[in-house]
């Protein structure tokens, strides 16, 4: 069975601060995919990134960066110079291709509030 | 990216009535669609997996007779909440996976907010 843990329920930062959202996953599969999604107040899920288990390179996209560490089963997400528009709930998710449906297992989410 | 729509975006109904939510893949064929439910300040919980032309697979604890799922075509899946009660009030989200695609290709709809009075 798969499990995703986002220990931080809520985080508040002041605009322009950097913030890191933690994600720890569990799976016995050696091939798997990790995702981050953003859910603004409107409710629609916004895809941010997908990572496969064989690619441990860290990735940077603008103010967003991701740190994938297989040794600690973590896939942390950092927002640099945060902005008010970054306020949302962020979900980490895991999927394994070995399952017949390849469904996503979501973490509990982290509510990020960026204050002006 | 691929587009998935849901209709309606919001619905308010009286207790005891049935509500149908549609999920459509607009520019690709979806052999598999997933239905999630999200209660306030909680995560997305998978309710069922729907494969085109076959019966849906429900997660443990989800009543298949209450949440009827039909995936009649490669672009449409419907979720009907039968005899809705206030505790069914939630945000329902569908996602669709393209035919022959792996885990990478799953696209989410914008969600439907159901309020049962």
């Amino acid at each position: 069975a798969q499990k995703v843990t986002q220990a931080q329920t809520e985080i508040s930062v002041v605009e322009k601060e950097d913030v890191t959202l933690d994600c720890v996953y569990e799976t016995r599969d050696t091939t798997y995919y990790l995702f981050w999604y953003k859910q603004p107040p409107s409710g629609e899920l916004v895809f941010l990134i997908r990572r496969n288990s064989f690619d441990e390179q860290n990735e940077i996209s603008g103010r967003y960066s991701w740190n994938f560490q297989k040794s600690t089963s973590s896939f942390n997400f950092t927002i640099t110079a945060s902005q008010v528009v970054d306020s949302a709930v962020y979900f980490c998710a895991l999927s394994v291709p070995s399952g017949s449906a390849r469904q996503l297992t979501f973490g509990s989410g982290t509510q990020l509030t960026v204050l002006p | 990216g691929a587009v998935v729509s849901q209709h309606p975006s919001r619905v308010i109904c009286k207790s005891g009535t049935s509500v149908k939510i549609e999920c459509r893949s607009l520019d690709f064929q979806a052999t598999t669609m997933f239905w999630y439910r999200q209660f306030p300040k909680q995560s997305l919980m998978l309710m069922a997996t729907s494969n085109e032309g076959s019966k849906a697979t429900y997660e443990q604890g989800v009543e298949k007779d209450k949440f009827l799922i039909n995936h009649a075509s490669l672009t449409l899946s419907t979720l009907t909440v039968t005899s809705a009660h206030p505790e069914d009030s939630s945000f329902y989200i569908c996602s669709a996976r393209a035919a022959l695609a792996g885990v990478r290709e799953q696209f989410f709809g914008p969600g439907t907010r159901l309020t049962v009075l």
Side-chain angles (χ1 to χ4, degrees):
Chain A
Q2 281 62 244
K3 185 178 179 182
V4 177
T5 302
Q6 293 179 257
Q8 304 150 308
T9 306
E10 296 183 22
I11 300 177
S12 282
V13 298
V14 177
E15 204 169 19
K16 296 184 183 176
E17 286 184 358
D18 299 347
V19 58
T20 295
L21 309 182
D22 298 333
C23 173
V24 175
Y25 61 92
E26 294 177 34
T27 179
R28 292 185 177 182
D29 287 65
T30 55
T31 301
Y32 50 88
Y33 292 83
L34 295 163
F35 301 78
W36 275 96
Y37 290 89
K38 173 182 180 180
Q39 188 178 43
S42 64
E44 184 164 359
L45 280 176
V46 178
F47 168 81
L48 296 178
I49 191 172
R50 175 188 67 242
R51 213 43 163 178
N52 75 55
S53 51
F54 299 108
D55 184 0
E56 282 195 77
Q57 269 196 327
N58 291 328
E59 181 155 340
I60 298 174
S61 176
R63 295 184 297 107
Y64 296 168
S65 62
W66 290 269
N67 185 342
F68 178 25
Q69 299 271 351
K70 284 180 80 170
S71 60
T72 56
S73 297
S74 65
F75 186 43
N76 296 338
F77 173 33
T78 298
I79 301 175
T80 304
S82 60
Q83 300 176 1
V84 173
V85 294
D86 296 328
S87 297
V89 180
Y90 291 84
F91 290 99
C92 181
L94 167 73
S95 187
V96 296
S98 62
S100 59
R102 304 171 201 157
Q103 60 219 34
L104 285 165
T105 299
F106 284 87
S108 55
T110 297
Q111 169 73 61
L112 173 65
T113 302
V114 181
L115 303 169
Chain B
V3 178
V4 175
S5 70
Q6 276 185 245
H7 178 79
S9 57
R10 281 181 186 273
V11 57
I12 300 173
C13 69
K14 292 183 179 180
S15 187
T17 60
S18 294
V19 175
K20 181 186 281 189
I21 302 170
E22 292 185 350
C23 177
R24 291 182 186 274
S25 56
L26 298 184
D27 52 0
F28 67 100
Q29 293 185 328
T31 49
T32 304
M33 288 184 170
F34 302 91
W35 287 96
Y36 297 85
R37 179 168 53 183
Q38 185 182 29
F39 292 110
K41 297 190 182 297
Q42 294 189 25
S43 188
L44 283 75
M45 299 303 296
L46 181 66
M47 298 176 66
T49 302
S50 162
N51 292 301
E52 187 266 338
S54 62
K55 289 184 179 180
T57 302
Y58 290 81
E59 295 300 301
Q60 195 170 13
V62 178
E63 300 174 57
K64 61 181 181 181
D65 294 331
K66 181 169 181 63
F67 298 99
L68 301 179
I69 291 173
N70 186 299
H71 192 162
S73 77
L74 285 172
T75 59
L76 173 64
S77 177
T78 60
L79 167 68
T80 301
V81 183
T82 62
S83 187
H85 291 285
E87 58 265 30
D88 298 324
S89 298
S90 188
F91 191 54
Y92 292 86
I93 306 173
C94 74
S95 71
R97 191 173 72 220
L100 302 180
V103 298
R104 300 161 294 175
E105 307 296 337
Q106 190 174 140
F107 304 97
F108 284 86
T112 297
R113 197 165 300 280
L114 170 64
T115 303
V116 185
L117 303 176

